[in-house]
Amino acid sequence: MGYARVSTDDQTTASQLGALKQAGVLKIYQETASGGRWDRPELHRMLDFLREGDTVVVWKIDRLSRSLADLVRIMKLIDQRGAALKSLTEPIGTTTAVGKAMMQMVGVSAELERSNLRERTHAGLKAAREKGVRFGRPSKLNAAQQQDIVRRVGAGDLTAADAARLIRRRRPAS
């Protein structure tokens, strides 16, 4: 059985599906979810369905997990079921001790890549903030309106609930 995963809705599993079908995979589980997350319903559905003698086939090991700890956990679950793991792009599998070790080395690389991406993203966001870029939705209130609401709630002229209703009716600040 196969497993295909992409991280975002703007990506597609088409190339993974094609490679898995070409490899003779009969049942394919696919989903859109981060490889660093453990709560992936299709992954768990596949792991629950595994039987002795089955082989889990992935296009690339990082499609299974981007976390070494999760990869080791998944490999252990597959092994406990008496099944094997095979990657189509990395010529290694879990049928031998060396293959298992190599899978873990590939997992280390995937986790390192993910960590580096996270660091670059945080650095980019920090640099953008330092340049004055603002993220998120625009505020409904400008600074004067915000101060007015805080003053009125603080003075007891307006309850917090009334302030929320008032803000909800306002148009975005210009």
Side-chain angles (χ1 to χ4, degrees):
M1 63 188 62
Y3 180 75
R5 179 193 61 78
V6 291
S7 298
T8 61
D9 288 327
D10 62 340
Q11 297 172 324
T12 175
T13 57
S15 61
Q16 294 177 57
L17 296 176
L20 291 169
K21 287 176 184 173
Q22 188 175 353
V25 175
L26 302 175
K27 175 84 173 143
I28 300 174
Y29 295 84
Q30 61 178 319
E31 64 191 326
T32 301
S34 168
R37 295 179 50 170
W38 179 249
D39 60 333
R40 292 180 275 150
E42 289 301 305
L43 171 65
H44 291 286
R45 196 168 286 121
M46 179 193 68
L47 292 171
D48 289 343
F49 190 76
L50 269 180
R51 301 294 178 254
E52 189 169 339
D54 285 344
T55 299
V56 173
V57 182
V58 292
W59 175 69
K60 194 170 182 176
I61 202 70
D62 70 353
R63 300 297 85 204
L64 194 57
S65 180
R66 299 289 293 252
S67 157
L68 179 60
D70 285 348
L71 178 61
V72 170
R73 181 197 267 173
I74 292 166
M75 288 171 55
K76 187 174 183 177
L77 289 169
I78 291 170
D79 188 54
Q80 287 172 344
R81 299 277 181 150
L85 172 61
K86 178 182 178 184
S87 168
L88 296 177
T89 58
E90 297 109 355
I92 49 179
T94 61
T95 55
T96 66
V98 171
K100 287 179 185 178
M102 290 303 295
M103 281 286 194
Q104 291 176 1
M105 295 297 281
V106 170
V108 167
S109 296
E111 187 168 339
L112 176 63
E113 181 181 335
R114 184 169 187 255
S115 294
N116 286 340
L117 176 62
R118 189 179 310 118
E119 285 177 13
R120 288 191 304 270
T121 300
H122 287 298
L125 290 171
K126 181 180 177 190
R129 281 188 194 100
E130 288 171 357
K131 290 181 181 177
V133 175
R134 294 183 55 134
F135 296 98
R137 290 171 37 179
S139 176
K140 285 189 168 195
L141 305 175
N142 62 34
Q145 291 169 324
Q146 288 174 10
Q147 289 173 352
D148 181 51
I149 292 287
V150 169
R151 182 191 55 75
R152 290 172 66 189
V153 170
D157 297 339
L158 202 59
T159 66
D162 289 336
R165 281 190 287 277
L166 181 65
I167 292 169
R168 205 174 300 127
R169 288 192 296 257
R170 299 224 177 160
R171 300 201 189 283
S174 37

